Amino acid sequence: MNEQQARQVLLLQAFESMPDGHPQWTADDRRWATRAAQQSLGDEAPRERFVVERARLAMQRLAPRDETVRRVVSRPTSGASAAGIALLAGALLGLLSDTLVAGDYFNLLSPLFWGLLAWNLAVYLWLAVSLLRGGGPGPLRRMIGAALQRWARRAGRDSVLAGFGARWAGVAAPLNASRAALLLHLAAAGSGIGLVGGLLLRGLVLDYRAGWATTLLDSSTVHAALAAALAPAFALLSTLAGTAPPDAAGFAALRVTPMQAASASAAPWLLWMAAQIVLVVVLPRLALAGYAALRASWQARHLPLDLSTPYFERLQQAAVPRAAWVLPHAAPPEPQAVLGLQGLLAGAWGESLPLQVAPVLAYGDEESPPAPPAGARAIVLVDLAATPEPDVHARLLTALRRAAPTAAPLLLADEGGFVRRFGLRCAAGRAPRRVARAGARRGGGIRERRPRGPRGGRRACPAGVARGTGGAGMNAAAPGVWHPAPRHARRRSRRRAGVTMGAPGRSPARIPQRAARRVVQ
């Protein structure tokens, strides 16, 4: 996705990742954006297109409500103004530097001139070594990129913009490094242009003389050093204008002493110096700036955004499928469980969602389960009394994930038979851990986390789980299957029990009201 799309996606993620929600973006808005994106693209759209389209639609609703969204969305992404400012600032710096160090004559051993050439040659050497070693950006670019990331993190006063800035700084770090390199190369090229302009302007309006003075070096040494250092400029101007550099005797006559002032015209030396700056500083820096601009432009059109994080997994799972395809494992579901499952799915995905119950998958056929129909969400229904085994349940979930890679299969545990046999309290403590083990084994990536008590001790049952029979969360028409109950009822009784839902590779979530909403949102 491009930079603008990634910016919208991360901004919407910042709104939806706030712990207590945001008044400008409610749960109804989330469901609307999900369904609108799904209707616009269809059920089989890739995850990236779905996420981008959902964020685009969300910005249309958020922009009129929030000034921050309008400011972030309307911010230009090209950076052309910053590039122009860097070039102009470098030119002004070069012009002012020449003005500040200028003396009564043009010093052929000027520290400003030779220092500029030495610095740029050192930069080229560093870039060549980094390229051969396969390294990343240099220390100055890393420092500027880190400064941009810190500025992005601190840019917002509210938690939404701060969260967006932190995420954007991590995603756009390579892009910021390329843009920092572009600005640095343009500033360096501008400094060379400014120095050349200052030299030529001084020679145009003043009768400028050239000379050199040193205490430690003799004339032959200085002449040999300048002939070697200015060889490209000497060769270029001798070819174009026919001007030849002075010999050793002529160069010795340029020496300035207390008894001899500078008397030779500085015109040829100004041209040679200007040509050397153009050849060594301006042209290479402009070429490097062009490369950095092309790289930044490509990165801005192909911004890497990791869509495998839990947030984007939830977005994919929240998409309303065409149908729900239930695959019972090892045992057929009871009629009451099917009714309760219909109520659960109706609350999560709407009343009109068709429910298809596949034939029972026999124990031992986990490697080759039937493929779910096109557009249907696969739901594996297991018996809570069955012991989770890595060679059974984990293989089944992995096989279904291969069959339908666009949406992870959901895992539901029917606790009806277990509750009738062992009681509700044992079922409530067993259900979350059962799904965790089934997803964690064989690379699922989930770790079983048992809740702790106030002093760090283990609790027999998770907090808020049913501790008795009945309870506000149980559906009387379908015992043993969770049916969302009003929040105030659960608060009064603190009795929760029900179907446990999870996906392979993700932490399990009990299906009370908030977990059921997470499936949709």
Side-chain angles (χ1 to χ4, degrees):
M1 65 183 68
N2 58 38
E3 181 181 2
Q4 183 68 18
Q5 293 171 345
R7 188 180 293 177
Q8 293 177 357
V9 169
L10 293 180
L11 184 58
L12 181 60
Q13 182 183 3
F15 272 94
E16 295 182 343
S17 298
M18 297 187 64
D20 299 328
H22 196 279
Q24 302 293 347
W25 189 249
T26 63
D28 292 336
D29 295 326
R30 297 183 185 186
R31 287 190 289 269
W32 168 82
T34 300
R35 290 168 180 168
Q38 192 174 4
Q39 292 174 1
S40 175
L41 299 177
D43 298 328
E44 301 299 328
R47 177 177 298 182
E48 180 175 339
R49 289 188 58 195
F50 170 75
V51 169
V52 169
E53 179 66 14
R54 183 177 182 272
R56 185 188 68 83
L57 296 172
M59 292 303 109
Q60 295 179 359
R61 180 171 287 192
L62 273 172
R65 302 176 181 177
D66 196 288
E67 177 64 25
T68 300
V69 175
R70 290 195 297 270
R71 187 168 64 251
V72 172
V73 171
S74 61
R75 183 178 301 169
T77 59
S78 61
S81 58
I85 292 174
L87 185 62
L88 181 60
L92 292 176
L93 180 61
L95 185 62
L96 291 176
S97 300
D98 174 70
T99 304
L100 293 176
V101 301
D104 297 334
Y105 65 94
F106 178 63
N107 186 9
L108 301 182
L109 303 180
S110 170
L112 175 63
F113 174 79
W114 294 107
L116 179 65
L117 294 181
W119 165 255
N120 283 273
L121 290 175
V123 170
Y124 304 152
L125 179 61
W126 175 267
L127 292 177
V129 171
S130 300
L131 182 61
L132 293 177
R133 296 177 57 185
L140 189 57
R141 287 166 53 191
R142 288 198 301 267
M143 182 181 67
I144 295 179
L148 292 175
Q149 293 182 26
R150 287 194 299 269
W151 173 82
R153 292 189 182 99
R154 300 172 183 173
R157 296 181 180 180
D158 58 346
S159 56
V160 172
L161 195 54
F164 164 75
R167 294 181 177 90
W168 177 251
V171 170
L175 177 61
N176 289 335
S178 299
R179 287 177 174 171
L182 171 63
L183 298 181
L184 290 174
H185 292 314
L186 287 178
S191 64
I193 295 173
L195 186 57
V196 169
L199 292 176
L200 298 180
L201 182 62
R202 187 175 297 276
L204 181 64
V205 300
L206 296 175
D207 185 14
Y208 214 26
R209 299 296 165 175
W212 60 275
T214 180
T215 303
L216 302 177
L217 303 176
D218 57 8
S219 175
S220 61
T221 304
V222 176
H223 178 260
L226 287 181
L230 296 177
F234 287 156
L236 178 63
L237 289 183
S238 63
T239 303
L240 298 179
T243 57
D247 54 10
F251 185 78
L254 297 176
R255 186 165 189 171
V256 178
T257 64
M259 304 301 296
Q260 181 180 353
S263 58
S265 174
W269 289 100
L270 292 177
L271 293 178
W272 285 325
M273 294 291 189
Q276 186 73 359
I277 293 175
V278 170
L279 292 175
V280 177
V281 178
V282 177
L283 294 181
R285 288 289 191 165
L286 289 179
L288 290 172
Y291 170 73
L294 291 177
R295 183 174 58 185
S297 177
W298 187 90
Q299 290 173 341
R301 295 193 306 270
H302 305 84
L303 207 62
L305 187 61
D306 186 12
L307 299 181
S308 61
T309 58
Y311 168 76
F312 297 107
E313 290 281 352
R314 288 194 299 269
L315 289 185
Q316 192 72 23
Q317 294 178 8
V320 180
R322 296 179 185 175
W325 183 75
V326 180
L327 178 63
H329 178 256
E334 299 179 355
Q336 294 88 349
V338 175
L339 292 177
L341 182 58
Q342 288 178 341
L344 170 65
L345 298 179
W349 286 324
E351 298 287 346
S352 59
L353 183 71
L355 178 64
Q356 304 176 15
V357 180
V360 178
L361 182 67
Y363 188 89
D365 295 340
E366 289 79 13
E367 288 286 356
S368 56
R377 189 62 179 275
I379 300 175
V380 179
L381 185 62
V382 298
D383 190 357
L384 184 63
T387 303
E389 301 178 17
D391 293 335
V392 178
H393 303 89
R395 286 194 305 170
L396 173 58
L397 295 176
T398 304
L400 285 176
R401 186 63 185 266
R402 287 196 301 264
T406 57
L410 300 181
L411 177 66
L412 277 77
D414 182 10
E415 65 176 13
F418 191 90
V419 168
R420 287 192 298 269
R421 182 175 180 182
F422 297 104
L424 189 58
R425 178 172 178 174
C426 295
R430 179 185 177 91
R433 295 196 294 275
R434 187 200 182 284
V435 181
R437 290 169 184 162
R441 294 178 179 176
R442 301 198 69 179
I446 305 175
R447 295 292 181 266
E448 177 185 354
R449 292 179 291 181
R450 297 178 60 186
R452 295 179 177 270
R455 299 183 179 271
R458 302 290 186 180
R459 285 201 294 260
C461 298
V465 209
R467 298 178 179 272
T469 57
M474 293 296 295
N475 182 7
V481 177
W482 176 262
H483 182 72
R487 182 179 299 178
H488 62 86
R490 292 199 308 275
R491 285 178 177 174
R492 285 198 307 266
S493 63
R494 294 186 59 85
R495 295 191 180 105
R496 298 180 185 176
V499 175
T500 301
M501 175 179 274
R506 296 184 45 78
S507 299
R510 293 186 301 278
I511 277 289
Q513 179 234 18
R514 187 169 296 181
R517 289 183 178 177
R518 270 202 303 270
V519 177
V520 184
Q521 299 168 3

